[in-house]
Amino acid sequence: MDQWEGEARYQAIMPVLSTTAKRWALTGCRRSFATRSSLPEKDCSSITPPYSQLLDNVSAVRNILGGRPLTLAEKILYSHIHNPAETLSDGKIIRGQTYLQLKPERVAMQDASAQMALLQFMSAGMNRCAVPASIHCDHLIQAVEGAESDLQRSIVTNKEVFDFLESAARKYGIEFWRPGSGIIHQIVLENYAAPGMLMLGTDSHTPNAGGLGMLAIGVGGADAVDALTGTPWELKAPQIVGIHLTGKLNGWATPKDLILHLAGKLTVRGGTGRILEYFGPGVFNQSCTGLATVANMGAEVGATTSTFPYTPSMQAYLQATGRAPVARAADEAASKGFLSADEGVEYDEVIDINLSELEPSINGPFTPDLATPLSKFGSVVEENGWKDEISAGLIGSCTNSSYQDMTSVADLARQAKAAGLKAKVPFLCTPGSEQIRATMERDQVTDALQDVGAVVLANACGPCIGQWKRDDKKGEENAILTSFNRNFKSRNDGNSQTMNFLASPTVVTAMAFSGKLSFNPMTDSIPLPNGQSFKFSPPTGQDLPANGFTPGRTSFYPGPTPEPQPETEIIVKPDSQRLELLEPFESPFGEKNDRGLELPSLKVLMRVRGKCTTDHISAAGPWLKYKGHLTNISENLLITAMNDEGGDVNVAFDHDHDASQSETDTIPNVAKRFKARNQPWALIVDDNYGEGSAREHAALQPRFYGCLMLIARSFARIHETNLKKQGVLPLWFADKSDYSRIDSGDVVETEGLADLLNGNQDATIKLKVIKRNGETFEVPTKHTMSKDQLKWLRAGSALNHIRSQIQ
């Protein structure tokens, strides 16, 4: 189809297009042919959403709800409701209250989290997955020297795990992306994402795929097992925040700066229980991969996910990546109003951002929501007394490793080379996928970076998730600048004194040439040896490659829609230190519990102070090698968490120790003592407990050691769900000040849980607290347990309940 045939097709559907869709339909047709794909058109049957069915589902739900206008996020969610008549038996959906039973279309898993997800799926007893799924080997590749040597080393050192994952993929019909293929989120965007789809991924940055106008939600492995087994997946209907974009980015401002700015406004808790839905003319000025960057970092404000209306850039990206059939189907669905919000829709909150006024931001250190405009950052450096130097610049990661990112950076590199400059600090670059790497190499982008001193790493997560063997600055305070998404203490190089400042790839690159933390490339110049000075011009990049993408080494890629091979043997050696078959958790109710349907009396292990992310609960870095071995990885339980009683890190009190034991020990060691005594226990935790990565082990590990309840000032969404899945009861303090009234060694008992388990949905749970001196008092709590989640608790875990239903 040539340009004018496409234009005629759009003219034919113009009468039924919304005002917004009309604005982009014709221009989108023209833009899509600016770049012709060198990739063959794929068989898209397994990745094209069933739009006719989804439209019918939306219509049915709309009728039940009385015909009110729907946001885009609501349309996608409601079109995936399992049995709408049953779910909406009361004829209403209340955002923030109603639990939805959903049927996701796809599951994506990265190699670290896939291990536990597959171990759980194996125990469910099924012979194939209920939905298409993929595994991506990206987390276990450590950055040491450079791409090729690092990749080969990782294949050798992780052979046992990669063999396990590949054999499981073969057995159950899962697409297996080999080490070197790229980062899960970039590969999903390039191959699987589609407008209007609902997908789950076992990684907190799964929302990256929202850049293609879908809902992609990060979950734990047990949630993935729901979808893999065909069990309806439960989600509390999120609130919808409308982000109204006007104007156009200019100068040094990039989509990364939009989400860095928004993180500063919302904070790390501002998106909890909410979907961020972007709308307005500013959306249509962005590339598809730029929108993916914005969606990716929505995880940093706690958002369930982020999405955008279907745009010409999405259409062009689908065509450029060999998915023209998906684009054609999406065009038709858009013409029927499915891929944008209704006119007159109401959001729970609206935030207005004029992109024309946006300047670059630098966020950090130690939290992704501490945003400072670039023009003011030099003053912040001075006020805090930080050394005015950066020790490394790192670009890439799942957030910023697109062709547009890399060509923009290459433009700066060429400017610097022409001035005779090289990077003054180590400058590391991570391509997002083999397709991006190969296209960069063909188009001399890689040469431009290496000419100024860059080291190109493997197509993997690398330093972003702590897979960085860094030999310098150990134990020293230093500052690195990265285009990553997360910057908690110790995350990147294991050094708690490394300050990671988040910025766009172009700002990171420019500052790598100055070496100064206070450098502002918008206004400052760099002295040259000849006495003159050099100032960067604002960078320019290409949305899509003029000669199309090239796939690179296709040996890394799976065949499409593989059939299960049930005869495949999955080997887990009994003495393996990397993999361990799972034993089901016992139900806390039964003969061993004399309190009936109340939890047994629980000893409080500790009170956790302040920010406690999933990195604190279950550290990554060198611990990633134990992701498939629950016993071994549990040795890192809460090792960087602070005990509120005394303020020490990784110290817990054992008030019942015997003469051979010390009064204090590490947190995992005290937890192991409790387990050895058959003493179930509880944790008291602070606000937004469990923010950060969708790290299921942060829930599995305390459960493994005998934890049955956490009482928090507040929880992060994914972690609270992960706790529920593993049979741990998460409660919220009704009065946050009660947090400080419960100490280690106290005993807590639930009162009212039995009523809830017996079907009284209005029942409340109180805690009876028995102090070590015998004093008792009651603490009121709140809970978010649905009737289905109560079944998980009663069974001892969600997997126990699923298994009983399958059998």
Side-chain angles (χ1 to χ4, degrees), residues 43 91 114 127 183 297 307 552 589 634 638 702 737 760 772:
D43 176 0
N127 59 10
I183 303 173
M297 276 197 66
T307 195
F589 312 103
S634 293
L638 289 161
S737 66
N760 179 5
R772 289 173 56 221

Side-chain angles (χ1 to χ4, degrees), residues 118-138:
L118 289 170
L119 288 166
Q120 292 178 85
F121 178 72
M122 287 164 56
S123 67
M126 293 182 65
N127 59 10
R128 69 184 303 150
C129 300
V131 298
S134 56
I135 297 170
H136 305 264
C137 296
D138 63 355

Side-chain angles (χ1 to χ4, degrees), residues 146-443:
E148 289 304 317
S149 60
D150 292 348
L151 176 60
Q152 295 308 315
R153 185 186 307 103
S154 80
I155 290 173
V156 172
T157 58
N158 297 298
K159 184 178 187 303
E160 180 183 7
V161 173
F162 292 149
D163 287 350
F164 165 75
L165 295 175
E166 187 169 15
S167 63
R170 190 179 309 117
K171 185 179 184 71
Y172 297 115
I174 300 170
E175 294 189 22
F176 181 73
W177 293 79
R178 291 171 175 78
S181 57
I183 303 173
I184 176 173
H185 310 305
Q186 182 68 26
I187 292 176
V188 165
L189 194 72
E190 292 174 353
N191 294 274
Y192 299 128
M197 179 186 283
L198 175 64
M199 185 191 85
L200 303 184
T202 58
D203 190 281
S204 58
H205 292 106
T206 298
N208 186 84
L212 257 169
M214 62 182 287
L215 294 185
I217 300 176
V219 297
D223 274 355
V225 170
D226 281 353
L228 293 174
T229 58
T231 304
W233 176 66
E234 188 172 73
L235 176 72
K236 183 183 286 187
Q239 292 186 330
I240 315 294
V241 178
I243 313 294
H244 182 228
L245 301 183
T246 57
K248 187 175 182 178
L249 295 169
N250 56 71
W252 285 82
T254 69
K256 178 64 166 272
D257 299 301
L258 166 58
I259 189 59
L260 291 174
H261 170 77
L262 188 61
K265 293 174 70 74
L266 286 174
T267 78
V268 291
R269 296 196 291 270
T272 304
R274 309 166 101 185
I275 290 176
L276 306 183
E277 181 176 313
Y278 295 77
F279 70 102
V283 172
F284 295 85
N285 294 323
Q286 309 304 313
S287 67
C288 175
T289 52
L291 297 179
T293 292
V294 175
N296 179 295
M297 276 197 66
E300 269 47 71
V301 299
T304 301
T305 192
S306 303
T307 195
F308 308 84
Y310 185 48
T311 71
S313 295
M314 296 179 192
Q315 181 202 57
Y317 187 77
L318 287 169
Q319 292 175 333
T321 51
R323 292 174 287 170
V326 177
R328 291 192 290 269
D331 292 346
E332 185 175 351
S335 74
K336 297 176 181 177
F338 180 53
L339 300 179
S340 58
D342 289 337
E343 299 288 344
V345 74
E346 291 187 8
Y347 294 98
D348 294 285
E349 180 183 358
V350 174
I351 298 173
D352 288 292
I353 299 177
N354 183 347
L355 298 176
S356 300
E357 299 174 354
L358 200 67
E359 74 165 279
S361 286
I362 296 182
N363 288 32
F366 306 134
T367 186
D369 59 347
L370 183 58
T372 304
L374 179 57
S375 60
K376 298 180 180 178
F377 191 69
S379 299
V380 171
V381 171
E382 185 177 356
E383 290 166 6
N384 282 277
W386 296 325
K387 189 181 294 185
D388 190 12
E389 63 181 41
I390 61 173
S391 59
L394 300 96
I395 60 171
S397 83
C398 66
T399 323
N400 284 105
S401 54
S402 68
Y403 188 77
Q404 183 179 35
D405 288 325
M406 295 303 175
T407 52
S408 298
V409 164
D411 178 55
L412 294 178
R414 292 185 181 106
Q415 291 183 43
K417 180 183 178 182
L421 293 174
K422 285 204 169 190
K424 288 189 177 179
V425 297
F427 183 38
L428 309 181
C429 170
T430 306
S433 69
E434 171 60 12
Q435 181 169 284
I436 292 295
R437 183 210 64 78
T439 307
M440 286 172 59
E441 186 173 287
R442 182 201 66 193
D443 295 346

